[in-house]
Amino acid sequence: MGLHLYSTEFHTPLPDDSFRFLLGQLPPALRQKPLRFRRWEDAHANLLGKHLLRLALEDAGYAAGLDHLRYTPEDKPWLAAGPNFNISHSGNRVVCLLSTNGRVGIDIELIHPIAFEDFQTQFTQNEWSAIRGSASPTDAFFRFWTAKESLIKADGRGLGIPLLQLDVSEYQPIPLDGTIWQLRPLDCFPGYAAHYTFEGSPEPGITIRHIPPTDL
């Protein structure tokens, strides 16, 4: 089993002709969603996320590409007879994680001031004590938050799984409805908190590739 992480970062809008070119490379069914966002950052993140996935699929030898992209009732994208993958974005960073065998989830969040006390009901007592006792409670909050989010995204049911039921205070195998999940942090994005989750064992290798938007 191998895990392949692709990431890109943008700080300014792409030139209009570049944006239109990338949009035109998507299958017709996927071209409208980036245009529905009011914020240019969200439009770019959606568009670039699809192109990270396109590149990941090409590298994995999946010839059908994005043409067979489908969505579950929980709005999780998936590919029939294709690799499992997950996309996340926050701030100016977009990441796509692809697995050649087994389900995966990834979540990234820009660390910023937040009234995290409002989210106390989403954390176990162990997690909340660790957040409150941390030298940087905001950083700790986002670490735990991305850990939980990556897990529920890997499972596929999203917020259909109450976050309070998941204790991620230690990086131990996490059983959930008959599946054993492994949780790992990603420390390669300064200013962000990020985690990924994969199914089963043994520990897979992970490759990380950073790609400028102009190279997509």
Side-chain angles (χ1 to χ4, degrees):
M1 175 178 175
L3 299 179
H4 306 279
L5 175 63
Y6 293 73
S7 77
T8 191
E9 187 176 24
F10 59 94
H11 295 282
T12 59
L14 292 169
D16 288 344
D17 58 343
S18 298
F19 186 92
R20 288 194 299 269
F21 174 79
L22 289 175
L23 191 67
Q25 299 307 301
L26 297 180
L30 301 179
R31 294 175 190 167
Q32 290 303 310
K33 189 167 184 179
L35 301 177
R36 296 190 188 121
F37 294 100
R38 293 185 177 182
R39 298 175 67 248
W40 72 265
E41 293 92 342
D42 295 327
H44 278 56
N46 183 273
L47 177 64
L48 296 175
K50 294 297 188 300
H51 278 280
L52 287 178
L53 175 59
R54 173 192 57 77
L55 182 59
L57 293 173
E58 289 178 1
D59 290 348
Y62 183 73
L66 299 179
D67 289 319
H68 289 182
L69 191 65
R70 301 291 184 268
Y71 288 85
T72 68
E74 294 80 17
D75 204 36
K76 180 180 180 178
W78 63 283
L79 290 160
N84 197 272
F85 67 92
N86 200 220
I87 299 171
S88 182
H89 65 86
S90 181
N92 301 109
R93 172 70 63 179
V94 188
V95 292
C96 174
L97 181 66
L98 184 138
S99 167
T100 55
N101 183 25
R103 289 175 290 171
V104 291
I106 189 168
D107 193 61
I108 187 169
E109 292 288 344
L110 178 67
I111 297 173
H112 63 279
I114 187 172
F116 59 82
E117 299 281 358
D118 296 342
F119 297 87
Q120 182 174 354
T121 56
Q122 305 300 321
F123 294 94
T124 66
Q125 183 175 350
N126 286 342
E127 294 165 342
W128 194 248
S129 295
I131 292 171
R132 297 300 299 158
S134 171
S136 178
T138 299
D139 288 10
F141 166 81
F142 280 110
R143 286 198 302 271
F144 280 113
W145 187 263
T146 56
K148 286 175 178 276
E149 284 285 321
S150 74
L151 178 54
I152 65 173
K153 290 173 70 178
D155 176 89
R157 288 173 290 172
L159 292 176
I161 304 172
L163 294 181
L164 186 60
Q165 292 183 6
L166 305 174
D167 192 315
V168 295
S169 55
E170 296 184 13
Y171 293 136
Q172 301 292 335
I174 300 172
L176 180 62
D177 296 338
T179 299
I180 301 298
W181 298 102
Q182 309 284 347
L183 179 66
R184 299 292 183 270
L186 280 168
D187 300 320
C188 52
F189 304 114
Y192 290 82
H195 280 81
Y196 66 96
T197 298
F198 58 92
E199 187 175 11
S201 61
E203 181 83 15
I206 184 169
T207 62
I208 301 176
R209 185 176 174 189
H210 303 287
I211 305 162
T214 52
D215 290 349
L216 289 172

